[in-house]
Amino acid sequence: MSRWLGAAVFAFALADEGSAQAVPRVRPRLVVAIVVDQLRADYLDRFRPHFGPNGFNLFLRRGASFAEARYEHSTTSTCPGHAVILTGSYAMVNGIIANEWYDVRRGRRENCAADTSVTLIGSSAAGRSPRNLFGATVGDVLRTATNGRSHVVTVSVKDRSAIMLGGHLADAAYWIVDTLFVTSTYYRPGLPEWARAYNAGGAISKYFGRPWERLLPAVAYAEMGPDDEPAESDGSGMGRTFPHPIGGREAFDRSPFPNDVVAEFAMRAVTAEGLGRDTVPDLLGIGFSANDWVGHLYGPESHEVMDVTLRLDRTLDRLFGFLDRTIGLRNVVIVLTADHGVGPMPEVLRRIQPAASPRRLDPAVIDTAVRRAMEARYGPAPAPGWIAYHAPPLLYLSPVALAATRVRVEEAERVAQAAVQSVAGVHEALTGTDLARLREAGAESGPVRSFHPSRSPNVYYGLQPYWLADGGTSGTDHGSGWLYDQQVPLLWYGAGIAPGTHQTPAAISDIAPTLSALLGLGAPGGSQGRVLSELLR
Ligand SMILES: [Zn+2]
């Protein structure tokens, strides 16, 4: 058994007293973990002149920040990012290798939060739960240590974000489906009265028909370049320039306003569930996902990304003001980070230098290369062909084809790997067999941290820096092992936190053990991070 499997087995066991480090004198009544979906580390410096006094500046002026914080894994997408934050572990332990992967045993794709044994409350969409997450979150450790007296509630636009932050023992995770907040029967039999009342108020549909305008006068956005950039997506009829009409739910999703609704719902939860009301600590997880859609459609160099960031700053100001009035900020510890960064659009690079090499690489080109190489070597495969599933950076060969042709998996992987590696723009391709060996040898690389032996693919690949795996012509993406996707803000404020700016390296896996130390608890069992002792008072 590897040491990581050993760690996972004891995921729910609290660390013994001897390992609890630097237990602070001030215990928070409420831990607030805020995750912004797609917020690159450099945005804080870039947009800081336009921040209000008590949003991001609460952290930047009166809290602690780590300028060199990053994910040490290479699949920088939403579900893996959220899974790291409160477990302190990477996919090599927590199993969340991507937003979606291929379940080889069942022969079907698997969403990271899928669970067919439960149903949603308030929607007929597919069931969701933390079942696919291995190990414990800070909330799980807290609920265990207090015999369930602590409350753990998470709220997000996206299901996977609320669910991964909550962990296995959360009271509830809430997210938006259509125009309503929903949860899963995994957590509770029905929506609480306050949540039903919130839904009945039409909080989301009231945005329909209102345009999205810039928060500040247009001149403040001039530093971002022109508002109209041809490689921006038109965002489902919202257009490439301000003002963007919000005709319905789809456009609402692609606007900054889901963040406001999530903050409002989270504040209702604090009041109704009595979070932070007594000395038994509670945990509130909040996922602000609006930034991700806006970033994908318009790219990091856009007026829209600047605007969604500034609007989030004002939303944070309202949230922190509320927490101060209801609980007192001295009783709260707040950590803010992101699930990943984002890369620029290749077209923007080429506007500056037309000969710049980064391009969009259509994943279909990789499909074709692999299929041709496999057919040339082994002949045609039975339906559905040689590739069972391919969503960058994961490529799974068909288990049916491998069994039918009696080809050794390791040998077939080598053929597919060479085909992927031969495509222009590919930086590196690794086989599942390679990754398993590297993992056993204790290698600590991004791809190894993003690999889990029971779920990972036959070929794992990454593109050269600034290339995008995308078959379209507009928008941008994240998901690579390069710094623009890995580096995110890491901000702290509140009970037990010494103010200061730190240039020392910090990993996102350090958040969970640090929060645990602030609570006087052992870190979640699978945690791979360290306690950021430099920020403890
Ligand atoms: Zn994301």
Side-chain angles (χ1 to χ4, degrees):
M1 183 191 279
S2 81
R3 63 200 165 110
W4 298 120
L5 288 174
V9 167
F10 296 105
F12 284 94
L14 299 185
D16 63 0
E17 285 298 313
S19 70
Q21 301 174 43
V23 176
R25 281 177 297 120
V26 199
R27 294 270 173 90
R29 289 182 171 204
L30 179 65
V31 171
V32 182
I34 298 173
V35 183
V36 185
D37 204 311
Q38 194 184 121
L39 191 73
R40 218 166 55 188
D42 60 294
Y43 288 7
L44 293 184
D45 285 329
R46 185 165 200 179
F47 302 131
R48 192 167 177 176
H50 305 288
F51 289 159
N54 290 311
F56 286 110
N57 270 325
L58 179 78
F59 305 101
L60 298 172
R61 291 181 185 163
R62 291 151 62 196
S65 63
F66 286 82
E68 297 291 327
R70 71 178 184 101
Y71 285 91
E72 294 179 310
H73 63 193
S74 58
T75 306
T76 48
S77 46
T78 296
C79 210
H82 282 84
V84 174
I85 294 165
L86 292 183
T87 65
S89 64
Y90 289 103
M92 65 188 298
V93 174
N94 72 41
I96 303 298
I97 61 165
N99 289 339
E100 186 189 85
W101 57 84
Y102 187 70
D103 184 331
V104 173
R105 202 165 50 81
R106 293 196 179 89
R108 60 169 166 79
R109 53 179 59 197
E110 177 79 350
N111 180 286
C112 67
D115 186 347
T116 52
S117 72
V118 297
T119 56
L120 301 193
I121 297 162
S123 166
S124 56
R128 292 286 182 257
S129 88
R131 184 174 296 252
N132 283 332
L133 176 72
F134 302 141
T137 58
V138 173
D140 291 339
V141 173
L142 181 61
R143 293 262 292 160
T144 308
T146 61
N147 200 20
R149 286 188 301 144
S150 290
H151 294 297
V152 174
V153 175
T154 62
V155 183
S156 180
V157 180
K158 294 183 183 174
D159 52 8
R160 53 185 176 264
S161 134
I163 289 168
M164 296 300 146
L165 292 178
H168 297 275
L169 306 183
D171 295 74
Y174 300 99
W175 61 92
I176 301 174
V177 175
D178 195 18
T179 57
L180 301 173
F181 279 92
V182 304
T183 187
S184 161
T185 55
Y186 174 86
Y187 302 102
R188 33 184 312 136
L191 280 177
E193 181 52 41
W194 62 266
R196 271 184 285 151
Y198 186 82
N199 281 339
I204 293 175
S205 48
K206 78 176 186 212
Y207 286 93
F208 300 171
R210 295 188 200 168
W212 168 21
E213 307 264 15
R214 291 181 188 87
L215 180 70
L216 302 181
V219 63
Y221 298 73
E223 67 197 74
M224 303 300 288
D227 185 13
D228 192 12
E229 157 58 52
E232 289 182 2
S233 164
D234 88 339
S236 321
M238 295 172 77
R240 300 198 304 244
T241 56
F242 282 99
H244 297 287
I246 300 177
R249 172 65 211 270
E250 205 178 330
F252 171 78
D253 272 349
R254 290 150 177 73
S255 81
F257 305 115
N259 286 347
D260 293 343
V261 176
V262 161
E264 230 175 62
F265 191 86
M267 290 188 265
R268 297 284 180 99
V270 168
T271 305
E273 304 287 347
L275 303 183
R277 193 182 287 161
D278 56 30
T279 54
V280 182
D282 300 317
L283 188 147
L284 172 67
I286 307 179
F288 289 118
S289 314
N291 303 62
D292 189 54
W293 262 117
V294 172
H296 275 291
L297 294 174
Y298 302 102
E301 322 302 328
S302 63
H303 291 210
E304 287 82 359
V305 161
M306 176 167 166
D307 198 67
V308 74
T309 311
L310 298 187
R311 285 181 180 276
L312 177 61
D313 178 63
R314 305 318 192 252
T315 304
L316 292 174
D317 184 312
R318 287 195 295 280
L319 174 67
F320 299 155
F322 165 84
L323 292 173
D324 196 28
R325 289 191 303 278
T326 51
I327 302 166
L329 283 183
R330 70 188 179 285
N331 296 314
V332 179
V333 61
I334 310 171
V335 58
L336 184 149
T337 189
D339 58 345
H340 51 73
V342 71
M345 297 187 291
E347 294 77 8
V348 170
L349 306 182
R350 285 209 299 281
R351 196 178 63 216
I352 298 165
Q353 166 51 274
S357 62
R359 292 279 187 279
R360 293 174 194 269
L361 170 55
D362 187 345
V365 173
I366 289 181
D367 275 349
T368 305
V370 170
R371 195 163 12 85
R372 282 195 185 141
M374 296 300 285
E375 283 173 3
R377 180 72 165 267
Y378 304 115
W386 276 109
I387 301 170
Y389 178 88
H390 175 208
L394 312 179
L395 189 145
Y396 294 78
L397 296 172
S398 163
V400 176
L402 290 171
T405 52
R406 301 191 175 195
V407 177
R408 273 183 59 232
V409 172
E410 187 174 352
E411 188 198 310
E413 285 181 344
R414 288 269 169 255
V415 175
Q417 173 197 31
V420 174
Q421 188 73 64
S422 72
V423 174
V426 171
H427 165 70
E428 127 181 285
L430 296 158
T431 69
T433 307
D434 287 339
L435 285 163
R437 286 196 186 121
L438 288 165
R439 179 180 191 272
E440 280 305 311
E444 296 195 19
S445 65
V448 169
R449 288 195 186 88
S450 287
F451 172 85
H452 192 280
S454 71
R455 289 174 180 170
S456 285
N458 297 107
V459 179
Y460 180 94
Y461 67 94
L463 304 187
Q464 288 162 6
Y466 299 102
W467 283 65
L468 286 185
D470 176 42
T473 56
S474 66
T476 190
D477 208 355
H478 50 83
S480 81
W482 303 115
L483 281 179
Y484 47 82
D485 284 342
Q486 290 180 325
Q487 286 189 315
V488 291
L490 177 53
L491 306 174
W492 299 79
Y493 174 85
I497 304 293
T501 305
H502 302 278
Q503 302 295 335
T504 45
I508 300 309
S509 54
D510 299 337
I511 293 173
T514 304
L515 282 177
S516 300
L518 284 162
L519 290 162
L521 301 170
S527 173
Q528 300 172 276
R530 70 178 176 98
V531 175
L532 296 168
S533 51
E534 58 268 48
L535 70 69
L536 302 183
R537 255 188 221 280

